[in-house]
Amino acid sequence: MSGREGQAVHRAHIRALMRALASEVLWPFRWRVLTILMMQVATQVLLLASLVLPWQLLQVLMTGQSRLTGWMPGIHSDQDQIAILLALAVFCFCAYALLQWLIRHAIAHFASAILQSLNKTRLVANHRLLGNRVLTVVLNALSSSVIALLFCCVIALLHPLLALLAAICVLILAAVVMHYYRYEKVQIIQDTLQSNVLTVINISFALGFSILVLDYLYGSVRPLLTLFILLISMRQMMAASLNGLVNFLGVVKHFQSINMLLLPRDRHVSLLETTDFVKRFESNTLPQWLTAWIAERYGHHMSYHIIECRLLHGRSVAQVLIQVIDESDCTYYWLLKCYKPSRENEALHESALLTEVGGHRMDTQQTVPMLCDHGRLPWCYYLLLEMGEQQPRWLNSEERKPWMAVLRQTLMKMPLSNALRTQYMATFASLPERMKKIEAKHFGYLTHDDQQAFQVEPFMQRWPYIIAAVEKVPYCLTLHNPSSARLAMLGTHPLLLDWQGWSYDSLGAHWPLSAKLYKEVLEVVSAQWPQLSERQEWLALSSPERASHYIALAARAHEFCQRCQTHNDSGALNMLNGIIKAYDAMSGVNT
C-alpha cells in the first residue's frame, strides 16, 4: 500500500468515526445536542454583547449619543443612557456566566444518559468523569464549527467581501492542517495550533483592517459601531475555527475513549494505521532486507535464518530472533531489536545499561543478554543482542508470574555505576518528585459529597507524610512494567529481554498492584535482607517487615501518580482509600 493509499484508508476510518458519532451519539440525543448548541451560540452572542456594550458606554461618555439607545422612546439624558447600558452589560455578563455553568451540567447529564443507554457493565461509576471530558471535546468540535459559521454569516451581512476573505483564511488553515496530518502527529499539531492562536487572530485583524482601509479610500465608510462589530466578529470567527480544528484533532486522539464510553461495540472504529516501520517487519518484506543487511555488516561467511519476529509496545518495537550458523557449524542465536525514532530515548538507555551490565550472571547463569552492537538507521535505532547457543522459548503472561520474584532479586543485585544512575535521574523524575506535583486542587472540581465519599480531605492531610515516607525507600534498578516484561527461557533459567524499560527509582515504584502486594514484597526483601542490611539506607528501615510496608506504600503512590498524570481520575479516586489504609498500617508498625 502506497503512502497516499494509506492516508486515504486512514481518512476513511476518520469518516467512519464521525458517522458513528453522528448516528449513535448526536442523532439519538438530537434534542439534547441542539439545546447545548443553542446555549453555546447564546454564550457567544452574550460575549459579543459584553464587548459591544462597553464600547457604546464609552461613546455616550464622549459624544452623549449611542446607536443602541437612540431608538428607545423617553430616553434623553446621558444618565438614562448610561444606566441602560450598564444594566444591559451586567445582565449579559451574568447570563453568560450562568449559561456556562448550565452547559457543563447539561454535558454531564448527557454523558450519564449515554452510559445508561449503552449499559456497559464493565464501566465503574466514576467513568462519568472521563465520559464528561470526552463528550465535551466532541460537542466543542461541533459547537465551534457552528459558531464559526454564525460569525461568518454576521460578517457576510455587514461586509460580503470581508466574509469571503475570512472563509478563505479558514480554508487555508484547514488545508495546512490536513497536509501535515498524521495520526502520530496529532498532539504536535494541536500544540502548534494552540500556541499560534494570537498569531492567526492578528493576521485576521490585519486583513480586516486592510479591507476597511480600501473601503475608506473608495469612499464607502461604514458607521463606527458596524466596523467594531465586524472586527470583533472576525476575531471570534478565527478563534472558533481554531478551536474547532483543535477539538476535531482531540476527537481523533480520544477515539479509544470514544469507543469505550460513547459507542456500542459493533460501531467501534480503529484509527491505528500501518506505518512504514511496521511494513518492514511483515513476513514477505522482512527477509528481503534483513538477511542482506546482516550479511553485509557482520560477514558473508555465516548463514542467517529468521526464526521469529514480534511487534511489541503498540507496534513501535520489533524483536527479531535470528539463528546464526558459523563456518564450523556451531549454532547460536541473536536478537535484533529495532525501535521507532520516537522511542529512541528508551533504546539509548537500554544500550547504555547493557554496555555496562551485559552478560551479568546470577548463580553462574546468564540473566542479562550480551550487547553485540547498536546504532542508528534512517528509520530506526537498533540493538543486536547475543542470546547464547540455546534457542529461547518465549514465556506468556501466566508463565512469567513464577519468575517475577527471581527477576526482582536479580535487579536488586545488579551493580550500577554512578554515571548510569545520574543519566537516568537527569532524564526522568523520581517518584518523590512526581508525588510533590500532586496538589489538593487536582480534585477541586468534585462536589462536596463526592469529596467526602472519596475521603479527599483525609488523604491530602496525610499526603505530605506519605511523601516523606516514600523518600526513605532506597533506590534500585527496576522496570517500568515488570508484570509484562518479556522473558525467554534458556534451558532452565530465564533471560530478561525488555531492557529498554529499565528504571532507577524508589524500590516498589513500578511494582504492579495486587491483593498480595505486601506478601510479594516481603518475600523478595526477606531473601535479600542479609546483603541489604549492610547498606545504611536499608539499615534505617530496621527490618524486612517495616521495609516491605514502605515499599508497598511506594507502589501504591506510584500507580496513583500515573493515573493522575494520564487524567484517569476515576482510577485515581478509587485508590485514595487503599493508600490511606496502607499508610495507617505502616504507621501502626512504626509505633
Side-chain angles (χ1 to χ4, degrees):
M1 184 183 295
S2 67
R4 289 185 178 180
E5 291 174 343
Q7 290 183 25
V9 170
H10 190 62
R11 287 169 183 164
H13 290 166
I14 293 177
R15 289 193 294 270
L17 176 64
M18 299 306 162
R19 285 195 296 269
L21 281 172
S23 60
E24 301 295 337
V25 177
L26 302 181
W27 182 250
F29 300 92
R30 52 191 174 275
W31 296 115
R32 286 178 180 265
V33 175
L34 183 60
T35 301
I36 293 173
L37 285 179
M38 294 300 294
M39 293 166 70
Q40 294 273 25
V41 170
T43 59
Q44 293 298 312
V45 173
L46 291 171
L47 181 61
L48 180 61
S50 299
L51 296 172
V52 172
L53 287 169
W55 169 263
Q56 287 296 290
L57 185 61
L58 181 62
Q59 190 173 16
V60 170
L61 293 173
M62 294 176 62
T63 66
Q65 296 180 350
S66 170
R67 296 189 65 189
L68 292 180
T69 57
W71 56 272
M72 295 183 181
I75 299 178
H76 304 291
S77 66
D78 293 350
Q79 289 78 8
D80 292 340
Q81 296 186 71
I82 292 173
I84 292 293
L85 291 173
L86 280 175
L88 288 174
V90 171
F91 171 78
C92 289
F93 177 78
C94 294
Y96 174 79
L98 177 63
L99 275 178
Q100 292 283 37
W101 181 81
L102 290 174
I103 287 170
R104 286 196 296 271
H105 280 263
I107 292 175
H109 290 303
F110 188 10
S112 299
I114 292 175
L115 292 179
Q116 290 174 3
S117 68
L118 292 178
N119 192 24
K120 293 194 173 185
T121 57
R122 298 182 67 182
L123 300 180
V124 298
N126 293 318
H127 272 98
R128 60 185 174 84
L129 301 173
L130 181 59
N132 290 350
R133 185 178 296 119
V134 173
L135 188 60
T136 300
V137 172
V138 174
L139 292 178
N140 282 347
L142 181 61
S143 62
S144 295
S145 303
V146 173
I147 290 167
L149 288 174
L150 174 67
F151 279 108
C152 188
C153 293
V154 171
I155 298 172
L157 289 174
L158 299 176
H159 199 305
L161 180 59
L162 189 57
L164 177 63
L165 184 63
I168 291 174
C169 291
V170 173
L171 291 175
I172 291 174
L173 184 62
V176 171
V177 171
M178 291 302 297
H179 176 74
Y180 289 102
Y181 170 81
R182 299 291 185 278
Y183 178 75
E184 60 271 16
K185 293 182 179 180
V186 165
Q187 185 62 54
I188 298 174
I189 298 174
Q190 276 188 311
D191 294 340
T192 303
L193 287 175
Q194 289 175 331
S195 61
N196 288 281
V197 170
L198 290 179
T199 301
V200 174
I201 291 175
N202 288 337
I203 291 174
S204 68
F205 272 143
L207 294 174
F209 273 116
S210 65
I211 295 297
L212 299 179
V213 169
L214 289 176
D215 287 346
Y216 175 77
L217 294 177
Y218 284 96
S220 57
V221 179
R222 289 167 171 77
L224 196 58
L225 178 62
T226 303
L227 297 180
F228 185 77
I229 293 176
L230 275 173
L231 291 177
I232 293 298
S233 299
M234 186 79 169
R235 188 263 178 205
Q236 294 299 101
M237 177 187 170
M238 297 304 297
S241 300
L242 274 174
N243 287 334
L245 289 171
V246 170
N247 284 292
F248 171 77
L249 293 171
V251 172
V252 174
K253 184 173 68 175
H254 291 97
F255 79 95
Q256 291 178 329
S257 297
I258 290 172
N259 285 336
M260 180 180 71
L261 297 171
L262 304 183
L263 299 179
R265 188 174 299 276
D266 58 345
R267 293 303 302 271
H268 285 189
V269 178
S270 175
L271 300 184
L272 296 177
E273 56 186 340
T274 302
T275 62
D276 292 338
F277 179 86
V278 173
K279 293 175 187 176
R280 289 179 180 272
F281 295 96
E282 294 176 350
S283 57
N284 59 337
T285 309
L286 182 61
Q288 297 177 8
W289 67 269
L290 182 58
T291 52
W293 179 77
I294 292 178
E296 180 182 354
R297 185 171 183 83
Y298 302 106
H300 293 272
H301 56 281
M302 297 183 290
S303 59
Y304 308 95
H305 304 282
I306 299 173
I307 304 299
E308 189 175 4
C309 176
R310 293 185 171 199
L311 287 165
L312 309 171
H313 304 287
R315 304 188 297 178
S316 60
V317 179
Q319 294 186 359
V320 185
L321 183 62
I322 304 167
Q323 183 187 57
V324 183
I325 303 176
D326 62 16
E327 293 175 327
S328 58
D329 290 335
C330 291
T331 302
Y332 51 96
Y333 294 87
W334 286 350
L335 182 69
L336 177 68
K337 301 180 72 172
C338 297
Y339 296 81
K340 290 179 66 173
S342 59
R343 300 189 72 130
E344 182 177 333
N345 190 46
E346 295 178 9
L348 292 173
H349 277 283
E350 178 179 12
S351 60
L353 178 68
L354 291 179
T355 299
E356 184 169 312
V357 302
H360 176 80
R361 292 179 176 271
M362 179 179 176
D363 300 329
T364 71
Q365 292 181 327
Q366 181 179 341
T367 55
V368 181
M370 290 286 294
L371 179 65
C372 298
D373 190 18
H374 63 94
R376 186 182 288 104
L377 294 173
W379 52 276
C380 77
Y381 190 96
Y382 71 89
L383 294 92
L384 188 65
L385 311 180
E386 183 178 330
M387 308 290 288
E389 298 178 356
Q390 294 178 295
Q391 180 173 342
R393 182 178 68 85
W394 308 93
L395 299 183
N396 59 34
S397 57
E398 289 299 319
E399 293 172 330
R400 285 195 296 263
K401 289 181 180 179
W403 296 100
M404 285 294 103
V406 177
L407 170 62
R408 294 188 181 103
Q409 292 175 17
T410 303
L411 296 175
M412 291 174 68
K413 287 183 177 181
M414 202 166 296
L416 291 180
S417 66
N418 290 331
L420 204 57
R421 296 173 184 174
T422 303
Q423 175 184 337
Y424 178 80
M425 297 183 72
T427 308
F428 302 101
S430 64
L431 175 58
E433 291 172 347
R434 284 178 279 133
M435 293 175 68
K436 290 175 183 177
K437 295 180 180 179
I438 305 297
E439 299 177 355
K441 64 182 181 182
H442 184 88
F443 298 112
Y445 62 89
L446 293 175
T447 63
H448 179 71
D449 292 340
D450 283 343
Q451 291 198 14
Q452 286 188 326
F454 291 113
Q455 303 186 67
V456 174
E457 185 176 352
F459 173 79
M460 294 311 303
Q461 289 174 352
R462 291 171 173 82
W463 190 237
Y465 302 102
I466 295 173
I467 295 174
V470 171
E471 287 178 331
K472 297 179 182 179
V473 178
Y475 281 40
C476 177
L477 181 67
T478 183
L479 290 170
H480 288 309
N481 194 358
S483 62
S484 65
R486 265 66 185 183
L487 290 177
M489 294 299 296
L490 295 181
T492 58
H493 71 279
L495 189 68
L496 178 62
L497 304 179
D498 263 354
W499 289 102
Q500 83 282 354
W502 77 276
S503 167
Y504 186 74
D505 205 339
S506 305
L507 180 60
H510 301 272
W511 203 304
L513 304 184
S514 70
K516 301 178 180 179
L517 175 62
Y518 175 77
K519 182 179 178 181
E520 293 173 358
V521 175
L522 182 60
E523 177 187 353
V524 174
V525 174
S526 298
Q528 302 291 312
W529 191 253
Q531 296 83 14
L532 296 176
S533 58
E534 297 176 359
R535 293 155 53 182
Q536 183 60 38
E537 63 268 25
W538 285 98
L539 190 59
L541 298 179
S542 72
S543 69
E545 292 77 14
R546 187 182 180 198
S548 299
H549 277 291
Y550 277 85
I551 295 168
L553 181 65
R556 296 180 184 277
H558 164 76
E559 182 63 25
F560 174 74
C561 291
Q562 291 289 96
R563 295 184 183 187
C564 288
Q565 183 180 0
T566 56
H567 301 292
N568 181 15
D569 287 354
S570 58
L573 287 167
N574 287 329
M575 290 191 65
L576 299 186
N577 187 42
I579 295 176
I580 291 174
K581 289 182 178 179
Y583 175 73
D584 292 344
M586 186 194 72
S587 301
V589 171
N590 292 342
T591 56

